[in-house]
Amino acid sequence: MSTTYLPATTDSIAQALEAKNPSEAISIFYRILENPSSSPESLRIKEQAITNLSDLLRQENRAEELRSLLTQLRPFFALIPKAKTAKIVRVIIDAVAKIPGTSDLQISLCKEMVQWTRAEKRTFLRQRVEARLAALLMENKEYSEALNLLSGLIKEVRRLDDKLLLVDIDLLESKLHFSLRNLPKAKAALTAARTAANAIYVPPAQQGTIDLQSGILHAEEKDYKTAYSYFFEAFEAFNALEDPRAVFQPQVYAVVQNNGEPS
């Protein structure tokens, strides 16, 4: 990175976007972020630079640099609203997640962010990063640690009555218990997720995930007719969103229509 900062202006953003190669563009975005100005316009331009930089680093598979960027931005986070901080953190973590072979790095990154959010007393952001961490731990088959994390998080979020996050966490708990082959607890957690979802507007992707989990649990109980209906609801939701999970659903239908036997 250059030690000479650039003005945080739309012209600097345009200069980066017109760069001859990704490395040059990345360098320009870093120089914009080094600008010491904290005026409202400068902060807005820097937010745009962060989004563009994160996308470029993802395209270049520079996962460790994304992790470092999140650490470097902590002083900047003190200058912007907490909601915008949460959005930027999510954008960068999502960017790392799109780079293949970064599961361990994502877990480490989330743990670092949990520590930072605790120290900064950023409860809203911490809860969401912890939920993301629990999902990563489950995918990594670290079930015991994931369950311990979720147990405390669920109690905390229920006290705060954050129903949208509660839906995510209850659904994650259902998946986790299913992975541990504890069907009664998986069903109880899914029921809790549906109860919370009924009280709020649930985005289509999230509703599709609920229906998919419902189909999985009914299929596990050999109730294939009900499972099929839930899988079809999930397919419609995912297909409308062009979610890649929709591609998997026809294979599921073939199984449930044959009473659990592959065609």
Side-chain angles (χ1 to χ4, degrees), residues 157-227:
V157 174
R158 278 183 181 152
R159 283 199 307 270
L160 296 173
D161 202 29
D162 185 340
K163 284 190 169 56
L164 190 58
L165 180 57
L166 193 57
V167 172
D168 281 336
I169 296 171
D170 284 333
L171 187 55
L172 181 57
E173 185 187 21
S174 178
K175 293 177 181 178
L176 181 55
H177 283 304
F178 179 74
S179 297
L180 293 169
R181 313 309 299 167
N182 190 331
L183 194 58
K185 286 191 175 182
K187 290 170 63 179
L190 180 60
T191 299
R194 283 195 173 280
T195 301
N198 287 338
I200 57 171
Y201 167 75
V202 176
Q206 193 176 40
Q207 184 60 56
T209 305
I210 292 172
D211 290 333
L212 177 57
Q213 181 68 3
S214 298
I216 290 170
L217 296 185
H218 279 285
E220 183 70 15
E221 294 185 311
K222 296 182 170 50
D223 181 1
Y224 299 116
K225 184 176 180 180
T226 305

Side-chain angles (χ1 to χ4, degrees), residues 86-229:
K87 180 181 178 181
I88 290 171
V89 170
R90 186 178 68 249
V91 164
I92 294 177
I93 292 177
D94 285 346
V96 176
K98 291 176 183 176
I99 299 175
T102 59
S103 178
D104 289 342
L105 177 62
Q106 291 176 62
I107 290 173
S108 176
L109 176 58
C110 285
K111 287 180 176 179
E112 288 176 5
M113 288 307 300
V114 168
Q115 290 179 347
W116 179 75
T117 52
R118 283 190 184 280
E120 295 292 318
K121 295 182 173 56
R122 293 177 180 247
T123 304
F124 177 89
L125 178 56
R126 174 183 56 77
Q127 291 170 341
R128 280 147 183 79
V129 176
E130 284 184 333
R132 181 71 167 263
L133 175 58
L136 288 166
L137 290 169
M138 183 184 72
E139 290 172 10
N140 219 34
K141 297 186 177 3
E142 297 178 42
Y143 299 128
S144 179
E145 187 175 353
L147 194 56
N148 287 338
L149 180 58
L150 271 184
S151 297
L153 187 57
I154 287 172
K155 293 176 183 177
E156 183 180 355
V157 174
R158 278 183 181 152
R159 283 199 307 270
L160 296 173
D161 202 29
D162 185 340
K163 284 190 169 56
L164 190 58
L165 180 57
L166 193 57
V167 172
D168 281 336
I169 296 171
D170 284 333
L171 187 55
L172 181 57
E173 185 187 21
S174 178
K175 293 177 181 178
L176 181 55
H177 283 304
F178 179 74
S179 297
L180 293 169
R181 313 309 299 167
N182 190 331
L183 194 58
K185 286 191 175 182
K187 290 170 63 179
L190 180 60
T191 299
R194 283 195 173 280
T195 301
N198 287 338
I200 57 171
Y201 167 75
V202 176
Q206 193 176 40
Q207 184 60 56
T209 305
I210 292 172
D211 290 333
L212 177 57
Q213 181 68 3
S214 298
I216 290 170
L217 296 185
H218 279 285
E220 183 70 15
E221 294 185 311
K222 296 182 170 50
D223 181 1
Y224 299 116
K225 184 176 180 180
T226 305
Y228 179 89
S229 66

